[in-house]
Amino acid sequence: DYVEVTSSVSVTATTAATATTIITAAPFTPNGTDSYRVVFECPDVTVAANAGGNACVFHLYDGVTNLGRIANASTGGASAVNVPVMGSRRLIPTNASHTYSVRAHRTNAICTAGAGAGGADVLFPITLRVVRLP
């Protein structure tokens, strides 16, 4: 599966349990023995300035289950940063329905997962790929 988002997403959630959904793949049912790679890419994450530092933490979810942190962007203090992020995870999912998504939370000030449609001087989309490995 391959899905992309062309609109930026404000990360307002402050915990992993209430994380803001960034992107969601289509549900699928694997055979339970094949390996898959889930790849998340975001061309521009704005981590807002905060005197105490700030972070934008991206989590890989399978349905409502948080599988863990797939990427992270952070500041060390009062300056904002803009960085691309990419994370991937190899999995062998069970032979049941799976819906992977990437969600994010912030530690202090609101962060933004930036996206666009691509083209001259325009951000590329946020993408999520689920690929069966050979």
Side-chain angles (χ1 to χ4, degrees):
D1 185 40
Y2 173 84
V3 62
E4 57 184 42
V5 173
T6 58
S7 297
S8 297
V9 179
S10 291
V11 178
T12 57
T14 57
T15 68
T18 62
T20 303
T21 300
I22 306 297
I23 192 166
T24 303
F28 77 108
T29 303
N31 63 15
T33 58
D34 289 342
S35 295
Y36 287 79
R37 174 139 331 259
V38 180
V39 181
F40 166 69
E41 295 176 288
C42 181
D44 183 51
V45 176
T46 302
V47 183
N50 185 278
N54 194 19
C56 189
V57 183
F58 295 88
H59 306 269
L60 177 62
Y61 272 75
D62 182 357
V64 297
T65 304
N66 185 341
L67 300 178
R69 294 179 174 188
I70 195 166
N72 183 67
S74 61
T75 68
S79 296
V81 297
N82 287 78
V83 294
V85 297
M86 177 184 171
S88 73
R89 177 75 173 133
R90 181 182 173 273
L91 305 162
I92 301 175
T94 62
N95 62 342
S97 182
H98 295 270
T99 303
Y100 292 112
S101 65
V102 172
R103 305 175 192 183
H105 82 276
R106 61 183 172 90
T107 58
N108 284 310
I110 292 176
C111 300
T112 303
D121 201 27
V122 177
L123 286 173
F124 282 114
I126 296 169
T127 62
L128 185 61
R129 288 176 291 177
V130 180
V131 179
R132 186 175 60 82
L133 300 174

